[in-house]
């Protein structure tokens, strides 16, 4: 009888443990292997980053990768928000699930969000509106807010003052 109770309790605790762990997002111990390649020209962030139109080949592995890090000084001076942050990606207004990895170097927490689009995901000549947004949860720049929202550059440190960190542009997909 005691063995039966023990077995039932063990199964119950194991089930609860597995369910609890399923709600914890997976974290990588380091940079995913494909991100170590030098094909930076296949990162869909580049049309915005370099400030000019960029062609992407439908026949290649394309990916979206964007990272963020905040220094202790930026947090102390209330310039940037503390972790947690997140990036949201949309293509033609459909949200794309992003994976995340991060690492810490000398008290700096680096976070990266990414998604890989294999060859053939995009069609040549197709119209693809890409939008990415940077979301923050903690107060910063004196706003006193503590809920998820798109980051706003209140002081004009990185963008014109009052600009939301939501960027969109059309992708130029070629053969």
């Amino acid at each position: 009888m005691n063995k039966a109770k023990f077995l039932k309790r063990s199964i119950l605790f194991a089930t609860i443990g597995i369910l609890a762990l399923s709600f914890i997002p997976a974290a990588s111990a380091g940079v995913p292997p494909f991100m170590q390649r030098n094909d930076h020209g296949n990162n869909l962030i580049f049309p915005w980053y370099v400030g000019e139109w960029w062609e992407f080949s439908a026949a290649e592995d394309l990916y979206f990768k964007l990272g963020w890090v905040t220094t202790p000084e930026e947090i102390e001076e209330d310039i940037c928000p503390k972790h947690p942050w997140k990036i949201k990606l949309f293509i033609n207004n459909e949200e794309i699930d992003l994976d995340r990895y991060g690492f810490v170097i000398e008290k700096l927490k680096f976070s990266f969000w990414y998604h890989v689009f294999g060859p053939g995901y995009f069609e040549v000549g197709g119209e693809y509106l890409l939008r990415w947004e940077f979301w923050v949860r903690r107060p910063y720049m004196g706003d006193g807010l503590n809920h998820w929202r798109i980051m706003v550059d209140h002081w004009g440190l990185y963008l014109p003052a009052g600009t939301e960190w939501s960027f969109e542009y059309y992708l130029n997909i070629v053969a």
Side-chain angles (χ1 to χ4, degrees):
M1 181 95 165
N2 286 339
K3 287 183 180 181
K5 282 185 178 180
F6 176 76
L7 184 59
K8 287 181 183 178
R9 286 184 181 166
S10 296
I11 292 171
L12 176 66
F13 283 115
T15 303
I16 290 171
I18 290 170
L19 285 173
L21 289 174
S22 70
F23 291 107
I24 298 172
S28 175
V31 180
F34 74 91
M35 290 294 173
Q36 296 174 16
R37 297 189 314 233
N38 285 327
D39 59 355
H40 302 295
N42 289 353
N43 187 352
L44 299 177
I45 191 71
F46 268 98
W48 174 82
Y49 184 72
V50 298
E52 60 186 49
W53 197 251
W54 193 282
E55 292 181 342
F56 295 103
S57 171
E60 294 184 31
D61 272 331
L62 300 177
Y63 65 91
F64 174 89
K65 181 181 92 169
L66 184 62
W68 184 261
V69 62
T70 299
T71 67
E73 293 80 21
E74 290 173 323
I75 291 172
E76 287 173 19
E77 294 173 18
D78 197 30
I79 295 171
C80 291
K82 295 177 187 174
H83 185 74
W85 322 288
K86 61 183 167 183
I87 301 292
K88 290 188 176 188
L89 173 65
F90 302 87
I91 294 183
N92 292 342
N93 291 319
E94 180 180 326
E95 187 167 4
I96 305 296
D97 290 329
L98 298 176
D99 292 313
R100 184 183 66 81
Y101 70 93
F103 51 89
V104 177
I105 299 176
E106 298 180 19
K107 299 182 182 180
L108 295 179
K109 181 177 173 71
F110 292 79
S111 294
F112 290 88
W113 294 264
Y114 68 92
H115 185 85
V116 178
F117 302 92
Y121 181 90
F122 297 102
E123 294 179 12
V124 176
E127 195 167 281
Y128 299 100
L129 178 64
L130 183 142
R131 182 177 83 243
W132 65 268
E133 301 168 344
F134 180 57
W135 286 66
V136 297
R137 192 175 84 189
R138 302 274 179 96
Y140 70 101
M141 294 185 182
D143 68 7
L145 302 174
N146 197 20
H147 59 83
W148 284 109
R149 67 216 181 269
I150 297 175
M151 182 173 165
V152 175
D153 190 345
H154 297 293
W155 294 350
L157 295 172
Y158 306 103
L159 300 167
T163 302
E164 282 190 343
W165 284 49
S166 177
F167 305 92
E168 65 179 36
Y169 45 86
Y170 284 97
L171 298 177
N172 187 13
I173 307 295
V174 298

